[in-house]
Amino acid sequence: MIKTQSTSELIQIIDALKAEGKSIGFTPTMGALHHGHLSLISLCKSENDISICSVFVNPTQFNEKSDLDKYPRDLDKDADLLGTVNNDILYAPSVSGIYPDGLESKVDIPLGNMLSVLEAAHRPGHFEGVLQVVKRLLDIVRPDNLYMGQKDFQQFSLIQKMITHLAMPTQLRVCPIIREANGVAMSSRNQRLSKTGLMQASIIHYVMSYVKQQYALQKPEDLKKWAMDYLKTEWCEPEYFEISDGYSLENVNNREAHDYVVASTAAWIEGVRLIDNMILLHPSKT
Ligand code: AMP
């Protein structure tokens, strides 16, 4: 595997690969890799000649400096894990390699309400930072295919909008959520949970699964209220639980009006903010 921190070196390597007609798949990450990330990279590797993975903890998408400081980092371990799925290139740029003119998080793409609901309502400026970094990474890597996880539903939805709006020559591929045996969605942040916290976190998947099972039978507002009440315990503090249209991310009130529906939540356990989602209704299943 080629490892580089240099943006100019990476651009040269990619230019040469493109000149040879190689297809390029790209998986951006913030490192502290787990099996969720590796599932993206395995798919990327199987669908492209070359798999490029970036590890970059993007400062512009963190709302709180303490969260940025606490974010787990272990590039050597990440490189070892990437080797197990035959990733070809690891790109781990410095902050100035991505933001040569200083940190910037202004986006000029019409995204409507998508930038004010769900995660965006609770993490102001977060997605502006995500869009900024993914745009910069896509400009550098110029991949044929981009791999992202359903785990970050609003994130991939916004990135798809950006790709379409800017007519970028990249296809977005979305991979299912990889979970621990007890249903907890894998996340780099799980490293900060104790064994007990990780067990307790399975309440989120339990609630999601129940809501999915009941979706056709109960009103969305009743299910949302039930979910918030159930999640709220001595050790779990839900921030929101929403049932939204899978395309627009608008609230679902009338079930009949939507053929693609997703439930999403953010909840705090042991001071760690966990997010999860589940598709309640998929267009192909109606
Ligand atoms: P992150 O390093 O958290 O920025 O995540 C990098 C990519 O991995 C994003 O596209 C995430 O949606 C995806 N991802 C994170 N956790 C999972 C998971 N449990 N299953 C599948 N994809 C994931």
Short mmCIF file of all heavy atoms in Angstrom, two decimals, residues 27-31 33-34 36-37 39-40 61 71 147-152 155 175-179 185-188, ligand 1:
data_model
loop_
_atom_site.label_atom_id
_atom_site.label_comp_id
_atom_site.label_asym_id
_atom_site.label_seq_id
_atom_site.Cartn_x
_atom_site.Cartn_y
_atom_site.Cartn_z
N THR A 27 -12.73 6.38 -0.45
CA THR A 27 -13.46 6.32 0.81
C THR A 27 -12.85 7.33 1.79
O THR A 27 -11.75 7.09 2.31
CB THR A 27 -13.37 4.90 1.42
OG1 THR A 27 -13.71 3.94 0.42
CG2 THR A 27 -14.31 4.76 2.62
N PRO A 28 -13.54 8.45 2.02
CA PRO A 28 -13.01 9.40 3.01
C PRO A 28 -13.40 8.97 4.43
O PRO A 28 -14.55 8.57 4.66
CB PRO A 28 -13.71 10.72 2.65
CG PRO A 28 -14.92 10.35 1.84
CD PRO A 28 -14.75 8.94 1.34
N THR A 29 -12.46 9.06 5.35
CA THR A 29 -12.73 8.71 6.75
C THR A 29 -12.00 9.69 7.67
O THR A 29 -11.14 10.44 7.22
CB THR A 29 -12.24 7.29 7.12
OG1 THR A 29 -10.83 7.35 7.37
CG2 THR A 29 -12.53 6.27 6.04
N MET A 30 -12.35 9.58 8.95
CA MET A 30 -11.60 10.35 9.95
C MET A 30 -10.72 9.40 10.78
O MET A 30 -10.27 9.76 11.87
CB MET A 30 -12.56 11.12 10.85
CG MET A 30 -13.32 12.17 10.05
SD MET A 30 -13.86 13.57 11.03
CE MET A 30 -14.94 12.78 12.18
N GLY A 31 -10.50 8.20 10.26
CA GLY A 31 -9.61 7.27 10.94
C GLY A 31 -10.27 6.58 12.12
O GLY A 31 -11.49 6.55 12.22
N LEU A 33 -10.26 3.41 12.43
CA LEU A 33 -11.07 2.56 11.55
C LEU A 33 -11.62 1.34 12.28
O LEU A 33 -11.00 0.79 13.19
CB LEU A 33 -10.22 2.12 10.35
CG LEU A 33 -9.66 3.26 9.49
CD1 LEU A 33 -8.85 2.69 8.32
CD2 LEU A 33 -10.76 4.17 8.96
N HIS A 34 -12.81 0.92 11.83
CA HIS A 34 -13.48 -0.27 12.37
C HIS A 34 -14.09 -1.02 11.19
O HIS A 34 -13.92 -0.61 10.03
CB HIS A 34 -14.51 0.11 13.43
CG HIS A 34 -15.46 1.19 12.97
ND1 HIS A 34 -16.38 1.01 11.96
CD2 HIS A 34 -15.60 2.49 13.36
CE1 HIS A 34 -17.07 2.13 11.78
NE2 HIS A 34 -16.60 3.05 12.61
N GLY A 36 -17.01 -1.16 10.08
CA GLY A 36 -17.92 -0.35 9.25
C GLY A 36 -17.15 0.31 8.12
O GLY A 36 -17.51 0.21 6.94
N HIS A 37 -16.03 0.94 8.47
CA HIS A 37 -15.18 1.56 7.44
C HIS A 37 -14.68 0.49 6.46
O HIS A 37 -14.67 0.70 5.25
CB HIS A 37 -13.95 2.21 8.07
CG HIS A 37 -14.24 3.37 8.99
ND1 HIS A 37 -14.00 3.32 10.33
CD2 HIS A 37 -14.74 4.60 8.74
CE1 HIS A 37 -14.32 4.48 10.88
NE2 HIS A 37 -14.77 5.28 9.95
N SER A 39 -15.91 -2.24 5.53
CA SER A 39 -16.91 -2.74 4.58
C SER A 39 -16.98 -1.81 3.36
O SER A 39 -17.16 -2.25 2.23
CB SER A 39 -18.28 -2.86 5.25
OG SER A 39 -18.85 -1.59 5.47
N LEU A 40 -16.82 -0.51 3.61
CA LEU A 40 -16.83 0.46 2.49
C LEU A 40 -15.61 0.22 1.60
O LEU A 40 -15.71 0.21 0.36
CB LEU A 40 -16.76 1.89 3.02
CG LEU A 40 -18.04 2.66 3.36
CD1 LEU A 40 -18.84 1.99 4.46
CD2 LEU A 40 -17.73 4.08 3.77
N GLN A 61 -15.60 20.46 10.89
CA GLN A 61 -16.91 19.84 11.12
C GLN A 61 -17.19 19.57 12.59
O GLN A 61 -18.22 19.00 12.94
CB GLN A 61 -17.06 18.56 10.29
CG GLN A 61 -16.20 17.40 10.74
CD GLN A 61 -16.29 16.24 9.77
OE1 GLN A 61 -15.76 16.30 8.66
NE2 GLN A 61 -17.00 15.18 10.16
N TYR A 71 -11.05 13.16 19.72
CA TYR A 71 -11.30 12.20 18.64
C TYR A 71 -10.14 11.20 18.55
O TYR A 71 -8.98 11.60 18.51
CB TYR A 71 -11.50 12.93 17.30
CG TYR A 71 -12.30 12.07 16.36
CD1 TYR A 71 -13.68 12.04 16.42
CD2 TYR A 71 -11.66 11.23 15.46
CE1 TYR A 71 -14.42 11.21 15.60
CE2 TYR A 71 -12.39 10.39 14.63
CZ TYR A 71 -13.77 10.39 14.71
OH TYR A 71 -14.50 9.55 13.90
N TYR A 147 -17.40 6.24 -1.75
CA TYR A 147 -18.06 5.29 -0.84
C TYR A 147 -18.35 5.96 0.50
O TYR A 147 -17.44 6.48 1.14
CB TYR A 147 -17.18 4.04 -0.67
CG TYR A 147 -17.10 3.31 -1.98
CD1 TYR A 147 -16.22 3.74 -2.97
CD2 TYR A 147 -17.99 2.30 -2.28
CE1 TYR A 147 -16.20 3.14 -4.22
CE2 TYR A 147 -17.99 1.69 -3.53
CZ TYR A 147 -17.09 2.12 -4.49
OH TYR A 147 -17.10 1.53 -5.74
N MET A 148 -19.65 5.93 0.89
CA MET A 148 -20.05 6.51 2.16
C MET A 148 -21.03 5.56 2.84
O MET A 148 -21.63 4.70 2.19
CB MET A 148 -20.69 7.89 1.96
CG MET A 148 -19.75 8.87 1.28
SD MET A 148 -20.31 10.57 1.38
CE MET A 148 -19.23 11.15 2.65
N GLY A 149 -21.21 5.75 4.16
CA GLY A 149 -22.06 4.83 4.91
C GLY A 149 -23.45 5.41 5.16
O GLY A 149 -23.61 6.61 5.38
N GLN A 150 -24.42 4.53 5.16
CA GLN A 150 -25.79 4.91 5.55
C GLN A 150 -25.83 5.38 7.00
O GLN A 150 -26.74 6.09 7.41
CB GLN A 150 -26.73 3.72 5.35
CG GLN A 150 -28.19 4.05 5.61
CD GLN A 150 -29.00 2.87 6.05
OE1 GLN A 150 -28.93 1.80 5.43
NE2 GLN A 150 -29.77 3.02 7.12
N LYS A 151 -24.83 4.97 7.77
CA LYS A 151 -24.74 5.39 9.19
C LYS A 151 -24.92 6.90 9.33
O LYS A 151 -25.53 7.37 10.28
CB LYS A 151 -23.37 4.95 9.72
CG LYS A 151 -22.91 5.62 10.99
CD LYS A 151 -23.36 4.83 12.17
CE LYS A 151 -23.10 5.45 13.52
NZ LYS A 151 -22.04 6.39 13.64
N ASP A 152 -24.38 7.65 8.36
CA ASP A 152 -24.50 9.11 8.38
C ASP A 152 -25.47 9.50 7.26
O ASP A 152 -25.06 9.97 6.20
CB ASP A 152 -23.12 9.75 8.19
CG ASP A 152 -22.20 9.40 9.34
OD1 ASP A 152 -22.25 10.06 10.36
OD2 ASP A 152 -21.44 8.41 9.20
N GLN A 155 -25.58 13.05 6.02
CA GLN A 155 -24.30 13.36 5.37
C GLN A 155 -24.30 12.90 3.91
O GLN A 155 -24.01 13.66 3.00
CB GLN A 155 -23.16 12.72 6.15
CG GLN A 155 -21.81 12.78 5.47
CD GLN A 155 -20.71 12.33 6.40
OE1 GLN A 155 -20.33 13.04 7.32
NE2 GLN A 155 -20.18 11.13 6.18
N CYS A 175 -23.23 2.41 1.55
CA CYS A 175 -23.13 1.05 2.12
C CYS A 175 -23.94 0.94 3.41
O CYS A 175 -24.03 1.91 4.17
CB CYS A 175 -21.68 0.72 2.44
SG CYS A 175 -20.60 0.94 1.02
N PRO A 176 -24.53 -0.24 3.65
CA PRO A 176 -25.36 -0.42 4.85
C PRO A 176 -24.58 -0.24 6.15
O PRO A 176 -23.35 -0.33 6.17
CB PRO A 176 -25.86 -1.86 4.74
CG PRO A 176 -25.19 -2.46 3.57
CD PRO A 176 -24.40 -1.44 2.84
N ILE A 177 -25.32 -0.03 7.24
CA ILE A 177 -24.70 0.17 8.55
C ILE A 177 -24.18 -1.17 9.08
O ILE A 177 -24.94 -2.15 9.14
CB ILE A 177 -25.73 0.75 9.56
CG1 ILE A 177 -26.31 2.06 9.04
CG2 ILE A 177 -25.10 0.92 10.95
CD1 ILE A 177 -27.43 2.65 9.90
N ILE A 178 -22.93 -1.20 9.46
CA ILE A 178 -22.37 -2.41 10.09
C ILE A 178 -22.51 -2.24 11.61
O ILE A 178 -22.19 -1.18 12.15
CB ILE A 178 -20.88 -2.60 9.71
CG1 ILE A 178 -20.72 -2.64 8.18
CG2 ILE A 178 -20.31 -3.86 10.34
CD1 ILE A 178 -21.43 -3.78 7.47
N ARG A 179 -23.02 -3.29 12.25
CA ARG A 179 -23.34 -3.22 13.67
C ARG A 179 -22.55 -4.23 14.50
O ARG A 179 -22.13 -5.27 13.97
CB ARG A 179 -24.84 -3.48 13.88
CG ARG A 179 -25.71 -2.46 13.17
CD ARG A 179 -27.20 -2.69 13.37
NE ARG A 179 -27.94 -1.63 12.69
CZ ARG A 179 -28.16 -0.42 13.20
NH1 ARG A 179 -27.71 -0.14 14.41
NH2 ARG A 179 -28.80 0.49 12.52
N ALA A 185 -24.55 0.40 16.32
CA ALA A 185 -23.87 0.80 15.08
C ALA A 185 -22.39 1.04 15.38
O ALA A 185 -22.06 1.77 16.31
CB ALA A 185 -24.51 2.06 14.52
N MET A 186 -21.52 0.44 14.59
CA MET A 186 -20.08 0.65 14.82
C MET A 186 -19.75 2.12 14.58
O MET A 186 -20.28 2.75 13.67
CB MET A 186 -19.25 -0.22 13.89
CG MET A 186 -19.33 -1.67 14.30
SD MET A 186 -18.11 -2.64 13.41
CE MET A 186 -18.52 -4.26 14.04
N SER A 187 -18.88 2.64 15.43
CA SER A 187 -18.48 4.04 15.34
C SER A 187 -17.14 4.21 16.03
O SER A 187 -16.86 3.54 17.03
CB SER A 187 -19.53 4.91 16.04
OG SER A 187 -19.01 6.20 16.30
N SER A 188 -16.33 5.12 15.49
CA SER A 188 -15.04 5.39 16.14
C SER A 188 -15.28 5.89 17.56
O SER A 188 -14.47 5.66 18.45
CB SER A 188 -14.28 6.45 15.34
OG SER A 188 -14.16 6.05 14.00
P1 AMP B 1 -16.09 8.65 9.75
O1 AMP B 1 -14.68 8.14 9.89
O2 AMP B 1 -16.90 8.51 10.99
O3 AMP B 1 -16.14 10.03 9.15
O4 AMP B 1 -16.80 7.71 8.71
C1 AMP B 1 -16.28 7.52 7.41
C2 AMP B 1 -17.31 6.81 6.58
O5 AMP B 1 -17.60 5.53 7.16
C3 AMP B 1 -18.65 7.57 6.51
O6 AMP B 1 -19.14 7.51 5.17
C4 AMP B 1 -19.52 6.80 7.47
O7 AMP B 1 -20.89 6.88 7.17
C5 AMP B 1 -19.00 5.39 7.29
N1 AMP B 1 -19.32 4.58 8.48
C6 AMP B 1 -19.08 4.92 9.77
N2 AMP B 1 -19.56 3.97 10.59
C7 AMP B 1 -20.13 3.02 9.80
C8 AMP B 1 -20.81 1.79 10.05
N3 AMP B 1 -21.03 1.34 11.28
N4 AMP B 1 -21.24 1.08 9.00
C9 AMP B 1 -21.04 1.53 7.72
N5 AMP B 1 -20.42 2.67 7.42
C10 AMP B 1 -19.96 3.41 8.44
#
